[in-house]
Amino acid sequence: MKSGNRFRRHALVVSATAATLVLSAPQALAAGSHSVANSTGSPRATGQAFGRLGSLADLVIQRLLVGDQVAAAKFGTDSPIEDPAREQQVLDAVRDQASEYDLNPDEAAEFFRDQITASKVVQRGLFARWTAHPDQVPGSRPDLSEIRARLDLLTKQLLQELKATQHLRNAPVGCRVQLLLATGSGAFVEGLDTLHRQAFKDATPSVCAVS
């Protein structure tokens, strides 16, 4: 009973603190003259996601937006959204690289599985949009090999940031507050639409450790 009350108190603290921080994001952005420290303590210019998980959120958003390019490369071709072989290749590579960053391979793979899921949310949404509105189909088709090279680079950057934020992410309550701040401000700064906001949400459930 006591543990249940403690959990509810923690949840209330997380919700109240995060709401205050996220609601303050537009005002902070409007000020324009401040900088925010990232997880390593170095200054970060405004125009990026806020807080100690801001850099991680920025990278997640970058990967989501690469999903737009993936969709543009596949739309109208025989290339399916679902690509189990490629997905397994990515997850196997993540597991292999995780030890280089002293990360748990299973936890790293779970995080990247969420990134893959989020990318497919974007791709399905854009496929539906372009099917309904052919005039919105991109005029050029990106090269998938170039896109995959970009994704491979983002994988390394995300692993580095997972390592840099490892201590915080293992503190569930503090992590939730920082994650809500980072995702709320990141979505606002980037001007994510409903589709990409949903995908962003799908990309982040494994960021914080489970209490």
Side-chain angles (χ1 to χ4, degrees):
M1 187 67 178
K2 290 182 178 179
S3 61
N5 290 336
R6 185 162 54 250
F7 177 82
R8 283 192 291 272
R9 285 197 298 271
H10 284 169
L12 287 171
V13 169
V14 169
S15 299
T17 305
T20 299
L21 292 171
V22 172
L23 287 172
S24 70
Q27 289 83 356
L29 286 168
S33 60
H34 300 289
S35 63
V36 182
N38 65 10
S39 58
T40 62
S42 59
R44 304 175 67 246
T46 52
Q48 296 174 308
F50 289 1
R52 296 169 64 193
L53 291 175
S55 293
L56 182 61
D58 289 336
L59 289 169
V60 170
I61 290 174
Q62 287 183 45
R63 198 183 193 285
L64 279 181
L65 296 178
V66 172
D68 291 39
Q69 299 175 39
V70 175
K74 292 181 176 181
F75 187 74
T77 73
D78 293 332
S79 297
I81 292 175
E82 295 283 348
D83 190 349
R86 168 63 180 171
E87 293 171 18
Q88 191 59 53
Q89 183 181 24
V90 170
L91 295 177
D92 288 344
V94 164
R95 288 178 181 279
D96 289 341
Q97 294 177 65
S99 59
E100 300 176 20
Y101 300 93
D102 195 26
L103 293 169
N104 182 298
D106 292 336
E107 293 177 358
E110 182 181 3
F111 173 81
F112 277 91
R113 190 174 289 109
D114 288 343
Q115 308 317 301
I116 292 170
T117 296
S119 179
K120 290 190 289 189
V121 168
V122 169
Q123 292 176 57
R124 292 192 189 98
L126 290 177
F127 270 37
R129 182 182 301 171
W130 295 337
T131 299
H133 303 281
D135 58 305
Q136 297 181 16
V137 176
S140 60
R141 191 181 303 282
D143 186 332
L144 262 180
S145 63
E146 294 180 3
I147 294 172
R148 287 173 174 172
R150 173 61 177 148
L151 288 172
D152 289 342
L153 176 59
L154 280 168
T155 294
K156 292 180 180 179
Q157 293 174 324
L158 282 162
L159 285 169
Q160 291 170 349
E161 199 59 33
L162 287 176
K163 174 59 179 177
T165 58
Q166 190 172 38
H167 182 73
L168 170 62
R169 292 185 301 100
N170 286 329
V173 175
C175 180
R176 291 191 190 102
V177 171
Q178 290 294 326
L179 182 60
L180 284 169
L181 170 60
T183 54
S185 61
F188 176 84
V189 170
E190 192 61 42
L192 297 184
D193 61 13
T194 301
L195 170 63
H196 290 82
R197 283 176 182 265
Q198 179 57 56
F200 195 17
K201 181 178 179 180
D202 292 337
T204 57
S206 58
V207 169
C208 298
V210 178
S211 58

